[in-house]
Structures are given as structure tokens and as C-alpha cells.
Amino acid sequence: MLPVTNFDPPFTITRASHVSLAVTDLEASRDFYRDVIGLVVTEESDDAVHLRGLEEAAHHSLVLERGEQAKALRVGLRVRGDEDIVAAERWCREHGVEHERVERPHQGPTLHLTDAVGTRMELTSSMETVPRKMQEFHEFVAGAPQRLDHFQVVTHDVQSATDFWTSLGMRMAEYTATDGTDELWGTWMEVKGNTHDLVFTNGRGPRLHHFAYTVPDATALLHAADVAGSLGFGDEIDRGPGRHGISNALFLYLRDPDQHRIELFTTHYQFIDLEEEPIRWDISNPRRSQLWGMPASRRWFFEASEFPSQPVHEPLLQATPATLEDVLSLH
Ligand SMILES: [Fe+2]
């Protein structure tokens, strides 16, 4: 069933903004994101490292926290202002949504909430600002990532996740459904004017599949792959380079030392005008995921980062796209 966007939401979400991960070797993870990906270290302590993209003025878009186990801790969105945090808190209270006001370093008012499918979210209205590095070209390394753009979450119930977030103002740009139907397998939803800020796909969830940074161009993407290879992380490229059908981005996916997944990609097209209908894809159409080349491996499709204390549920929908292993076994 296609979702209906609430264009008068109870509070205003403006964009995907930051993610926090628990990592088991903080120094190894810091080195990976700084040297193999090319993020900027804004600040580090014994327990946490805050990083950002080269264009970003916000203090951080990635927080690595020292942990016993590798986990996805929080998926972060920005809201317009402090009054939106107050409104979000009220809305959660009125709708029985699990939530908590928290203090987070370098952030303004911040609210944790758990969405309809168990995704651990963090809303904040502001961050400390730092200088943008976008013209410090001598500091560009690896993929030269510019800014955090979106998240993909695996969920057992794509319909419920999509209904939850479209009721809060998100708009679906593209979707995958079982063949010939509008039975949702995956939804790509946005608030900032390109194709997605938050994606849900069908599978064992909730788990964070990946977070994504834009890179300047295809050359930067390939350079990131070369740097990953030369620094010994060639085996940790688990997909790409390739071209998505959905969203039309060139992409490269890498796994960090704890197997959290990051995507580097060239940018998406604009999705702003309200008369544009979402693009629908049959799940059996391989071009939806990849316009050329082989489909993704099982590793890419089925591995993802769990959230702490969130039970993982088996998917309601028993449908899976063809994987690389499926294609190879046919030949
Ligand atoms: Fe992505």
C-alpha cells in the first residue's frame, strides 16, 4: 500500500545528519575513517572520535564510541529548531512512542526515539559549528567525502516503517515492490530535496545496513577504492563500483574494521516538485539495484549492524532479490 505523506507534520525534519557506532577498536576505526575513507577528525578522546565530511560545518556526522561489541547506536536526523524537539517530544508522548531527552556533546537539544520498527533514532536541532574544509584541497585524501547524505535500515516491516516516517513528513521518491503489486519491499524517502534521507528495505531487522557520504565525482570514488586496496582493505569493498538504478548514483560500499558498512556515492537527482510520482520497481528487475554489472553478493544483502537491546525480527515479507551467488550458480 502506498504511503501518504503528511505535509503538515507535527515537527519539521530537515535532513539525515549523523550516526553513532560502537566500535571495538577505536583507534583502528578512527584510522579507517580518516585514512581509507577520508573523513576529517574534528575531535577525539579516549572514549570517542567525532568526524565530519569536508564540506560539513556541523561538528560531526560520524561518532565512533568505544564499545565491547560492534553495534549501530543511533541514526541521526536534524530538525529545524529547538521548538521542533519540544514538539517531537510531545508527539512521542501523545502517540506512545518510546523516547528520552538526552545530553549529547557538541549538540543542542537532543531527543532519542524508537520508531515503529525498533530503529534507534536521534533528533537534534543544532550542533557546534567548525570551519568547512571544502577548499582545503591539500587535505583531500581517499574519497574526499563531502557530507553525510542518507541511511539505509533493514526492517522486518517496511510498510509500518514507511507509514511512520511519511506521517512525520517524509516523502517517498522510489520504491521496490513484489512483482506487479504495491506490496512494499523497500522505500526510499526524503525530506531534503534529493531522493532519500532514510531508506527501509525488507529483511531481518531492525539493523543498520549503511550510512552514506557524497564524494565529488567518479574519480574520487575510484581513488577511494585504490586507497582501500593499497592500505590493505581491498577485501572490505563489498560492492561496487557500480551504478544504482534507484537514485542513479555511482556507488562504492566498504566495511569498516567492525564490519559496519559505509557507502560513498556521487550525488542523487533532485526530488522536490510535488507533482512527481515515485518511481516503482519490481523486485525481480536487477536494474533497480544495479544498472550494469553483477548483482550484489549475499554478504551485502544480508549482513548489517544490529542496534543494542533491540530484538531482531524475521521479515514479514518472504521476498529476496537475486544475489551474485544466485547468478553464478546458474552458470
Ligand atoms: Fe545508500
mmCIF file of all heavy atoms in Angstrom, residues 190-227:
data_model
loop_
_atom_site.group_PDB
_atom_site.id
_atom_site.type_symbol
_atom_site.label_atom_id
_atom_site.label_comp_id
_atom_site.label_asym_id
_atom_site.label_seq_id
_atom_site.Cartn_x
_atom_site.Cartn_y
_atom_site.Cartn_z
ATOM 1 N N GLU A 190 12.555 10.912 1.440
ATOM 2 C CA GLU A 190 13.382 12.105 1.585
ATOM 3 C C GLU A 190 12.641 13.242 2.271
ATOM 4 O O GLU A 190 11.408 13.283 2.271
ATOM 5 C CB GLU A 190 13.882 12.571 0.202
ATOM 6 C CG GLU A 190 12.774 13.024 -0.753
ATOM 7 C CD GLU A 190 12.300 14.439 -0.541
ATOM 8 O OE1 GLU A 190 13.084 15.276 -0.072
ATOM 9 O OE2 GLU A 190 11.110 14.697 -0.835
ATOM 10 N N VAL A 191 13.452 14.151 2.837
ATOM 11 C CA VAL A 191 12.939 15.449 3.274
ATOM 12 C C VAL A 191 13.759 16.598 2.707
ATOM 13 O O VAL A 191 13.288 17.718 2.662
ATOM 14 C CB VAL A 191 12.929 15.590 4.819
ATOM 15 C CG1 VAL A 191 11.811 14.768 5.439
ATOM 16 C CG2 VAL A 191 14.276 15.235 5.423
ATOM 17 N N LYS A 192 14.994 16.351 2.257
ATOM 18 C CA LYS A 192 15.880 17.466 1.915
ATOM 19 C C LYS A 192 15.887 17.827 0.438
ATOM 20 O O LYS A 192 16.598 18.739 0.034
ATOM 21 C CB LYS A 192 17.303 17.187 2.387
ATOM 22 C CG LYS A 192 18.026 16.086 1.632
ATOM 23 C CD LYS A 192 19.465 15.971 2.143
ATOM 24 C CE LYS A 192 20.214 14.807 1.537
ATOM 25 N NZ LYS A 192 19.570 13.493 1.701
ATOM 26 N N GLY A 193 15.131 17.109 -0.384
ATOM 27 C CA GLY A 193 15.028 17.525 -1.779
ATOM 28 C C GLY A 193 15.812 16.690 -2.766
ATOM 29 O O GLY A 193 15.795 16.971 -3.963
ATOM 30 N N ASN A 194 16.535 15.665 -2.308
ATOM 31 C CA ASN A 194 17.009 14.655 -3.258
ATOM 32 C C ASN A 194 16.315 13.341 -2.923
ATOM 33 O O ASN A 194 15.389 13.328 -2.103
ATOM 34 C CB ASN A 194 18.539 14.566 -3.298
ATOM 35 C CG ASN A 194 19.163 13.950 -2.059
ATOM 36 O OD1 ASN A 194 18.477 13.490 -1.150
ATOM 37 N ND2 ASN A 194 20.486 13.961 -2.000
ATOM 38 N N THR A 195 16.721 12.243 -3.531
ATOM 39 C CA THR A 195 15.838 11.074 -3.499
ATOM 40 C C THR A 195 15.691 10.396 -2.139
ATOM 41 O O THR A 195 14.682 9.763 -1.893
ATOM 42 C CB THR A 195 16.305 10.006 -4.507
ATOM 43 O OG1 THR A 195 17.659 9.653 -4.193
ATOM 44 C CG2 THR A 195 16.212 10.517 -5.917
ATOM 45 N N HIS A 196 16.705 10.488 -1.281
ATOM 46 C CA HIS A 196 16.477 9.878 0.026
ATOM 47 C C HIS A 196 17.346 10.413 1.155
ATOM 48 O O HIS A 196 18.498 10.781 0.955
ATOM 49 C CB HIS A 196 16.568 8.348 0.001
ATOM 50 C CG HIS A 196 17.715 7.736 -0.752
ATOM 51 N ND1 HIS A 196 17.801 7.703 -2.107
ATOM 52 C CD2 HIS A 196 18.817 7.074 -0.300
ATOM 53 C CE1 HIS A 196 18.895 7.050 -2.476
ATOM 54 N NE2 HIS A 196 19.538 6.675 -1.403
ATOM 55 N N ASP A 197 16.716 10.452 2.313
ATOM 56 C CA ASP A 197 17.403 10.629 3.596
ATOM 57 C C ASP A 197 17.383 9.332 4.387
ATOM 58 O O ASP A 197 18.313 9.021 5.126
ATOM 59 C CB ASP A 197 16.717 11.720 4.436
ATOM 60 C CG ASP A 197 16.923 13.093 3.843
ATOM 61 O OD1 ASP A 197 17.956 13.720 4.131
ATOM 62 O OD2 ASP A 197 16.047 13.538 3.073
ATOM 63 N N LEU A 198 16.286 8.593 4.249
ATOM 64 C CA LEU A 198 16.081 7.388 5.045
ATOM 65 C C LEU A 198 15.446 6.312 4.160
ATOM 66 O O LEU A 198 14.426 6.560 3.512
ATOM 67 C CB LEU A 198 15.172 7.722 6.227
ATOM 68 C CG LEU A 198 14.966 6.679 7.320
ATOM 69 C CD1 LEU A 198 16.284 6.227 7.937
ATOM 70 C CD2 LEU A 198 14.045 7.244 8.403
ATOM 71 N N VAL A 199 16.088 5.157 4.144
ATOM 72 C CA VAL A 199 15.648 4.030 3.308
ATOM 73 C C VAL A 199 15.345 2.852 4.224
ATOM 74 O O VAL A 199 16.085 2.594 5.183
ATOM 75 C CB VAL A 199 16.767 3.615 2.323
ATOM 76 C CG1 VAL A 199 16.351 2.396 1.506
ATOM 77 C CG2 VAL A 199 17.158 4.772 1.434
ATOM 78 N N PHE A 200 14.260 2.149 3.932
ATOM 79 C CA PHE A 200 13.982 0.882 4.612
ATOM 80 C C PHE A 200 13.881 -0.214 3.572
ATOM 81 O O PHE A 200 13.189 -0.052 2.555
ATOM 82 C CB PHE A 200 12.678 0.966 5.401
ATOM 83 C CG PHE A 200 12.799 1.793 6.650
ATOM 84 C CD1 PHE A 200 12.461 3.140 6.638
ATOM 85 C CD2 PHE A 200 13.278 1.237 7.824
ATOM 86 C CE1 PHE A 200 12.597 3.914 7.782
ATOM 87 C CE2 PHE A 200 13.418 2.003 8.969
ATOM 88 C CZ PHE A 200 13.071 3.344 8.951
ATOM 89 N N THR A 201 14.573 -1.325 3.830
ATOM 90 C CA THR A 201 14.444 -2.487 2.952
ATOM 91 C C THR A 201 14.070 -3.703 3.788
ATOM 92 O O THR A 201 14.341 -3.760 4.992
ATOM 93 C CB THR A 201 15.749 -2.771 2.181
ATOM 94 O OG1 THR A 201 16.825 -2.875 3.111
ATOM 95 C CG2 THR A 201 16.035 -1.664 1.174
ATOM 96 N N ASN A 202 13.458 -4.657 3.130
ATOM 97 C CA ASN A 202 12.919 -5.836 3.796
ATOM 98 C C ASN A 202 14.028 -6.809 4.223
ATOM 99 O O ASN A 202 14.924 -7.124 3.442
ATOM 100 C CB ASN A 202 11.973 -6.550 2.813
ATOM 101 C CG ASN A 202 11.322 -7.776 3.399
ATOM 102 O OD1 ASN A 202 10.466 -7.663 4.276
ATOM 103 N ND2 ASN A 202 11.728 -8.954 2.946
ATOM 104 N N GLY A 203 13.935 -7.297 5.442
ATOM 105 C CA GLY A 203 14.883 -8.303 5.916
ATOM 106 C C GLY A 203 14.819 -8.414 7.422
ATOM 107 O O GLY A 203 13.936 -7.851 8.069
ATOM 108 N N ARG A 204 15.775 -9.153 7.992
ATOM 109 C CA ARG A 204 15.826 -9.270 9.455
ATOM 110 C C ARG A 204 16.194 -7.921 10.042
ATOM 111 O O ARG A 204 17.241 -7.370 9.724
ATOM 112 C CB ARG A 204 16.851 -10.328 9.858
ATOM 113 C CG ARG A 204 16.521 -11.738 9.364
ATOM 114 C CD ARG A 204 17.608 -12.736 9.728
ATOM 115 N NE ARG A 204 17.798 -12.823 11.159
ATOM 116 C CZ ARG A 204 18.853 -12.352 11.811
ATOM 117 N NH1 ARG A 204 19.839 -11.789 11.169
ATOM 118 N NH2 ARG A 204 18.925 -12.460 13.115
ATOM 119 N N GLY A 205 15.317 -7.393 10.898
ATOM 120 C CA GLY A 205 15.599 -6.061 11.401
ATOM 121 C C GLY A 205 14.943 -5.792 12.738
ATOM 122 O O GLY A 205 14.194 -6.619 13.255
ATOM 123 N N PRO A 206 15.259 -4.660 13.359
ATOM 124 C CA PRO A 206 15.987 -3.537 12.761
ATOM 125 C C PRO A 206 17.504 -3.736 12.796
ATOM 126 O O PRO A 206 18.061 -4.147 13.809
ATOM 127 C CB PRO A 206 15.601 -2.367 13.688
ATOM 128 C CG PRO A 206 15.417 -3.020 15.035
ATOM 129 C CD PRO A 206 14.829 -4.372 14.744
ATOM 130 N N ARG A 207 18.143 -3.395 11.690
ATOM 131 C CA ARG A 207 19.603 -3.346 11.629
ATOM 132 C C ARG A 207 19.983 -2.215 10.668
ATOM 133 O O ARG A 207 19.275 -1.964 9.684
ATOM 134 C CB ARG A 207 20.183 -4.676 11.107
ATOM 135 C CG ARG A 207 19.953 -5.875 12.051
ATOM 136 C CD ARG A 207 20.524 -7.161 11.465
ATOM 137 N NE ARG A 207 19.872 -7.489 10.217
ATOM 138 C CZ ARG A 207 20.434 -8.207 9.237
ATOM 139 N NH1 ARG A 207 21.662 -8.675 9.369
ATOM 140 N NH2 ARG A 207 19.763 -8.464 8.133
ATOM 141 N N LEU A 208 21.109 -1.570 10.963
ATOM 142 C CA LEU A 208 21.587 -0.504 10.070
ATOM 143 C C LEU A 208 22.367 -1.148 8.934
ATOM 144 O O LEU A 208 23.389 -1.794 9.169
ATOM 145 C CB LEU A 208 22.477 0.481 10.843
ATOM 146 C CG LEU A 208 23.074 1.621 10.013
ATOM 147 C CD1 LEU A 208 21.988 2.524 9.438
ATOM 148 C CD2 LEU A 208 24.072 2.442 10.841
ATOM 149 N N HIS A 209 21.877 -0.953 7.718
ATOM 150 C CA HIS A 209 22.581 -1.534 6.571
ATOM 151 C C HIS A 209 23.777 -0.675 6.176
ATOM 152 O O HIS A 209 24.891 -1.175 6.013
ATOM 153 C CB HIS A 209 21.630 -1.690 5.383
ATOM 154 C CG HIS A 209 22.251 -2.433 4.243
ATOM 155 N ND1 HIS A 209 22.961 -1.805 3.248
ATOM 156 C CD2 HIS A 209 22.309 -3.763 3.975
ATOM 157 C CE1 HIS A 209 23.410 -2.706 2.403
ATOM 158 N NE2 HIS A 209 23.032 -3.911 2.816
ATOM 159 N N HIS A 210 23.573 0.610 6.004
ATOM 160 C CA HIS A 210 24.705 1.506 5.729
ATOM 161 C C HIS A 210 24.326 2.953 5.962
ATOM 162 O O HIS A 210 23.158 3.301 6.052
ATOM 163 C CB HIS A 210 25.231 1.328 4.299
ATOM 164 C CG HIS A 210 24.304 1.775 3.200
ATOM 165 N ND1 HIS A 210 23.446 0.919 2.557
ATOM 166 C CD2 HIS A 210 24.088 2.985 2.633
ATOM 167 C CE1 HIS A 210 22.768 1.575 1.633
ATOM 168 N NE2 HIS A 210 23.119 2.844 1.659
ATOM 169 N N PHE A 211 25.362 3.765 6.070
ATOM 170 C CA PHE A 211 25.218 5.220 6.027
ATOM 171 C C PHE A 211 26.083 5.692 4.866
ATOM 172 O O PHE A 211 27.050 5.023 4.486
ATOM 173 C CB PHE A 211 25.618 5.863 7.360
ATOM 174 C CG PHE A 211 27.000 5.512 7.832
ATOM 175 C CD1 PHE A 211 28.059 6.382 7.632
ATOM 176 C CD2 PHE A 211 27.236 4.307 8.477
ATOM 177 C CE1 PHE A 211 29.346 6.064 8.068
ATOM 178 C CE2 PHE A 211 28.511 3.965 8.909
ATOM 179 C CZ PHE A 211 29.563 4.842 8.704
ATOM 180 N N ALA A 212 25.735 6.836 4.286
ATOM 181 C CA ALA A 212 26.347 7.197 3.007
ATOM 182 C C ALA A 212 26.831 8.637 2.992
ATOM 183 O O ALA A 212 26.151 9.548 3.472
ATOM 184 C CB ALA A 212 25.340 6.999 1.878
ATOM 185 N N TYR A 213 28.012 8.799 2.422
ATOM 186 C CA TYR A 213 28.592 10.125 2.196
ATOM 187 C C TYR A 213 28.712 10.379 0.703
ATOM 188 O O TYR A 213 29.093 9.478 -0.057
ATOM 189 C CB TYR A 213 29.991 10.211 2.803
ATOM 190 C CG TYR A 213 30.015 10.438 4.296
ATOM 191 C CD1 TYR A 213 29.901 9.376 5.179
ATOM 192 C CD2 TYR A 213 30.143 11.720 4.820
ATOM 193 C CE1 TYR A 213 29.929 9.587 6.557
ATOM 194 C CE2 TYR A 213 30.164 11.935 6.194
ATOM 195 C CZ TYR A 213 30.054 10.877 7.048
ATOM 196 O OH TYR A 213 30.071 11.090 8.403
ATOM 197 N N THR A 214 28.451 11.618 0.296
ATOM 198 C CA THR A 214 28.686 12.002 -1.091
ATOM 199 C C THR A 214 30.184 12.225 -1.300
ATOM 200 O O THR A 214 30.901 12.639 -0.384
ATOM 201 C CB THR A 214 27.953 13.304 -1.459
ATOM 202 O OG1 THR A 214 28.471 14.377 -0.661
ATOM 203 C CG2 THR A 214 26.463 13.180 -1.231
ATOM 204 N N VAL A 215 30.630 11.950 -2.519
ATOM 205 C CA VAL A 215 32.001 12.272 -2.938
ATOM 206 C C VAL A 215 31.921 13.187 -4.160
ATOM 207 O O VAL A 215 30.883 13.243 -4.819
ATOM 208 C CB VAL A 215 32.826 11.000 -3.245
ATOM 209 C CG1 VAL A 215 32.953 10.126 -2.004
ATOM 210 C CG2 VAL A 215 32.217 10.210 -4.399
ATOM 211 N N PRO A 216 33.005 13.919 -4.455
ATOM 212 C CA PRO A 216 32.899 14.951 -5.503
ATOM 213 C C PRO A 216 32.579 14.398 -6.889
ATOM 214 O O PRO A 216 31.855 15.020 -7.649
ATOM 215 C CB PRO A 216 34.277 15.625 -5.494
ATOM 216 C CG PRO A 216 34.853 15.318 -4.156
ATOM 217 C CD PRO A 216 34.287 13.994 -3.743
ATOM 218 N N ASP A 217 33.158 13.257 -7.248
ATOM 219 C CA ASP A 217 32.979 12.756 -8.615
ATOM 220 C C ASP A 217 33.432 11.299 -8.698
ATOM 221 O O ASP A 217 33.899 10.723 -7.710
ATOM 222 C CB ASP A 217 33.753 13.629 -9.628
ATOM 223 C CG ASP A 217 35.221 13.784 -9.245
ATOM 224 O OD1 ASP A 217 35.777 12.853 -8.604
ATOM 225 O OD2 ASP A 217 35.812 14.826 -9.567
ATOM 226 N N ALA A 218 33.311 10.741 -9.901
ATOM 227 C CA ALA A 218 33.657 9.332 -10.091
ATOM 228 C C ALA A 218 35.141 9.070 -9.839
ATOM 229 O O ALA A 218 35.522 7.984 -9.386
ATOM 230 C CB ALA A 218 33.271 8.891 -11.505
ATOM 231 N N THR A 219 35.972 10.064 -10.121
ATOM 232 C CA THR A 219 37.409 9.892 -9.899
ATOM 233 C C THR A 219 37.704 9.698 -8.417
ATOM 234 O O THR A 219 38.516 8.853 -8.030
ATOM 235 C CB THR A 219 38.176 11.119 -10.433
ATOM 236 O OG1 THR A 219 37.808 11.316 -11.797
ATOM 237 C CG2 THR A 219 39.670 10.919 -10.338
ATOM 238 N N ALA A 220 37.031 10.483 -7.579
ATOM 239 C CA ALA A 220 37.217 10.340 -6.122
ATOM 240 C C ALA A 220 36.755 8.970 -5.653
ATOM 241 O O ALA A 220 37.383 8.344 -4.785
ATOM 242 C CB ALA A 220 36.457 11.445 -5.394
ATOM 243 N N LEU A 221 35.664 8.497 -6.244
ATOM 244 C CA LEU A 221 35.144 7.179 -5.884
ATOM 245 C C LEU A 221 36.175 6.081 -6.195
ATOM 246 O O LEU A 221 36.449 5.196 -5.375
ATOM 247 C CB LEU A 221 33.845 6.930 -6.667
ATOM 248 C CG LEU A 221 32.938 5.837 -6.176
ATOM 249 C CD1 LEU A 221 32.065 6.371 -5.040
ATOM 250 C CD2 LEU A 221 32.045 5.348 -7.308
ATOM 251 N N LEU A 222 36.745 6.175 -7.396
ATOM 252 C CA LEU A 222 37.745 5.179 -7.793
ATOM 253 C C LEU A 222 39.015 5.321 -6.958
ATOM 254 O O LEU A 222 39.663 4.332 -6.602
ATOM 255 C CB LEU A 222 38.077 5.316 -9.279
ATOM 256 C CG LEU A 222 36.933 4.952 -10.218
ATOM 257 C CD1 LEU A 222 37.349 5.198 -11.673
ATOM 258 C CD2 LEU A 222 36.518 3.501 -10.036
ATOM 259 N N HIS A 223 39.360 6.556 -6.629
ATOM 260 C CA HIS A 223 40.558 6.755 -5.803
ATOM 261 C C HIS A 223 40.353 6.129 -4.421
ATOM 262 O O HIS A 223 41.281 5.546 -3.857
ATOM 263 C CB HIS A 223 40.872 8.245 -5.679
ATOM 264 C CG HIS A 223 42.200 8.503 -5.017
ATOM 265 N ND1 HIS A 223 43.394 7.999 -5.497
ATOM 266 C CD2 HIS A 223 42.517 9.193 -3.899
ATOM 267 C CE1 HIS A 223 44.375 8.370 -4.693
ATOM 268 N NE2 HIS A 223 43.872 9.101 -3.714
ATOM 269 N N ALA A 224 39.133 6.242 -3.884
ATOM 270 C CA ALA A 224 38.844 5.604 -2.592
ATOM 271 C C ALA A 224 39.052 4.098 -2.692
ATOM 272 O O ALA A 224 39.611 3.467 -1.785
ATOM 273 C CB ALA A 224 37.420 5.924 -2.145
ATOM 274 N N ALA A 225 38.618 3.505 -3.798
ATOM 275 C CA ALA A 225 38.813 2.060 -3.987
ATOM 276 C C ALA A 225 40.302 1.728 -4.059
ATOM 277 O O ALA A 225 40.773 0.748 -3.459
ATOM 278 C CB ALA A 225 38.083 1.600 -5.252
ATOM 279 N N ASP A 226 41.059 2.554 -4.775
ATOM 280 C CA ASP A 226 42.511 2.335 -4.873
ATOM 281 C C ASP A 226 43.172 2.461 -3.508
ATOM 282 O O ASP A 226 44.045 1.661 -3.146
ATOM 283 C CB ASP A 226 43.127 3.366 -5.836
ATOM 284 C CG ASP A 226 43.136 2.870 -7.271
ATOM 285 O OD1 ASP A 226 43.010 1.647 -7.485
ATOM 286 O OD2 ASP A 226 43.279 3.718 -8.177
ATOM 287 N N VAL A 227 42.774 3.485 -2.754
ATOM 288 C CA VAL A 227 43.372 3.684 -1.427
ATOM 289 C C VAL A 227 43.010 2.520 -0.505
ATOM 290 O O VAL A 227 43.853 2.017 0.245
ATOM 291 C CB VAL A 227 42.923 5.037 -0.830
ATOM 292 C CG1 VAL A 227 43.334 5.153 0.635
ATOM 293 C CG2 VAL A 227 43.516 6.194 -1.636
#
